[in-house]
Amino acid sequence: EEAKAKFSDEDKTHQQQRAALSEIEAESRDASCRLNEAETAWRNRINSLRDQLGDARKIHSQRSTEFSNAVKRVQRIAEVDTIVSAAEAEVDRFRDAAKTAKVAYNSLQSQLDEVNASLREMESKREDVRRKLVVMSGLADIFGSRGIQTYLLGNAVNTLQAYSQFYLDELSDNYQKLDLVLNSGDRISRSAGVRGPDGEWLDRPLSSLSGGQWRRCSLSLSLGFSDLVARRGHLRPSLLVLDEPLTHLDASGRSHVGKVLRRMVRRANDIDDDVEKFSPLGGLHVSTILIILQDLAAEELEER
């Protein structure tokens, strides 16, 4: 708004200066016309007076006795000279006025150039403001109406889903999926899917999952969250504690859990060699895993 107001003021000043310049140009043209007319009139009058002077001299030569008339003619000649001098002075005055008008015209032209430069600068600033508005509009479209916090939260939720789905693929042999969606109230909506006999995904409410399916989703979500925290915080956790992670799992499910946990406790020199095979995302690796079990033998984890 300030730029528009300044632009409007500069435009008004520009118009006023143009009007003043037009008036000066008109006065200069009028002065020039009057000067030409005066020069023509006086030139004609001078020629006429010169003719009269010639006639007077002829008459003086012819009528030497008419001395008084000759004196009068001489006086007339003197008057003519005075008039001529006055006319020349008037011409000089008009010329000086024309020079002054030209100087004023040049000054106004310089001011006009400055105003045009200011207008170009303001136009450039307006273009910069327009580009910034486009950038800000693009950022608003990217971040949404709720700002960058929601954008970052949505990014974290998408990353958590990717990490959790990786662990769920390991625990379910790619037969389960878990979807996490950030809704309009910044709440995370969870939904599950189970692969059918034809290989297509069947959407299932979490409440309809079996105990084993629920345990796989819960465990993969916990491991995915731990993986996300470790990555975002650049942490190297050394201890993982799991309370009853095998509840409701059959022998195959417990075997998959054991495989995942054993991979996580591999020594550091083995992690670098096997990390690409184990997790394209990098994986969560700890040196010690503490598992709290009840009524279940440790051998069911297929410990070696």
Side-chain angles (χ1 to χ4, degrees), residues 166 170 263 266 270-283 285:
F166 165 74
E170 291 286 326
R263 287 176 178 175
R266 289 190 178 185
D270 294 331
I271 290 175
D272 293 334
D273 296 334
D274 195 49
V275 68
E276 293 297 331
K277 293 186 296 180
F278 174 55
S279 169
L281 303 174
H285 303 283

Side-chain angles (χ1 to χ4, degrees), residues 24-267:
I24 292 175
E25 289 177 346
E27 292 177 359
S28 177
R29 287 192 297 271
D30 292 341
S32 179
C33 291
R34 290 195 299 269
L35 176 62
N36 293 332
E37 292 174 356
E39 286 180 349
T40 302
W42 285 112
R43 189 178 295 109
N44 294 334
R45 190 169 181 180
I46 290 171
N47 292 332
S48 177
L49 292 174
R50 285 177 177 173
D51 292 337
Q52 293 177 9
L53 180 61
D55 294 337
R57 287 177 177 175
K58 289 180 181 179
I59 292 173
H60 181 269
S61 63
Q62 293 175 1
R63 300 176 180 179
S64 59
T65 59
E66 300 177 357
F67 179 75
S68 59
N69 293 334
V71 172
K72 293 180 180 179
R73 291 191 180 102
V74 170
Q75 292 177 350
R76 289 180 181 179
I77 292 172
E79 292 176 357
V80 168
D81 291 338
T82 302
I83 294 173
V84 169
S85 299
E88 291 177 350
E90 189 71 13
V91 170
D92 292 338
R93 187 177 67 82
F94 280 121
R95 286 176 178 171
D96 293 338
K99 291 181 180 179
T100 303
K102 186 175 181 180
V103 171
Y105 171 81
N106 293 333
S107 178
L108 290 175
Q109 185 65 39
S110 177
Q111 294 179 9
L112 179 61
D113 294 339
E114 293 178 358
V115 170
N116 289 332
S118 299
L119 289 176
R120 288 192 295 270
E121 183 179 357
M122 292 181 65
E123 186 68 24
S124 177
K125 291 181 179 179
R126 186 176 68 175
E127 185 65 20
D128 292 340
V129 171
R130 188 190 66 80
R131 286 196 294 268
K132 290 179 180 178
L133 287 176
V134 172
V135 172
M136 295 302 294
S137 177
L139 291 177
D141 292 338
I142 294 173
F143 294 141
S145 59
R146 290 174 292 170
I148 190 172
Q149 294 86 350
T150 301
Y151 173 79
L152 295 177
L153 179 58
N155 178 264
V157 170
N158 293 335
T159 306
L160 175 60
Q161 178 183 343
Y163 291 176
S164 300
Q165 186 61 48
F166 165 74
Y167 288 107
L168 186 56
D169 290 341
E170 291 286 326
L171 297 176
S172 66
D173 278 339
N174 296 313
Y175 272 90
Q176 284 184 245
K177 70 174 182 177
L178 179 63
D179 293 327
L180 304 177
V181 178
L182 185 67
N183 60 26
S184 58
D186 288 345
R187 297 180 63 86
I188 300 175
S189 300
R190 296 173 294 175
S191 60
V194 178
R195 194 182 297 276
D198 57 354
E200 297 294 330
W201 287 107
L202 303 176
D203 294 333
R204 291 281 187 85
L206 293 176
S207 59
S208 68
L209 296 178
S210 66
Q213 292 172 338
W214 173 266
R215 175 58 62 184
R216 291 186 185 91
C217 289
S218 175
L219 183 58
S220 63
L221 187 58
S222 298
L223 294 176
F225 182 76
S226 300
D227 200 339
L228 176 63
V229 172
R231 292 172 188 274
R232 294 292 177 90
H234 301 285
L235 305 177
R236 297 296 299 270
S238 60
L239 175 64
L240 177 65
V241 180
L242 300 174
D243 184 12
E244 295 290 343
L246 306 180
T247 303
H248 303 301
L249 293 178
D250 56 12
S252 175
R254 293 192 291 270
S255 175
H256 284 96
V257 172
K259 291 179 181 179
V260 171
L261 296 182
R262 281 197 304 278
R263 287 176 178 175
M264 293 170 61
V265 295
R266 289 190 178 185
R267 293 177 300 176

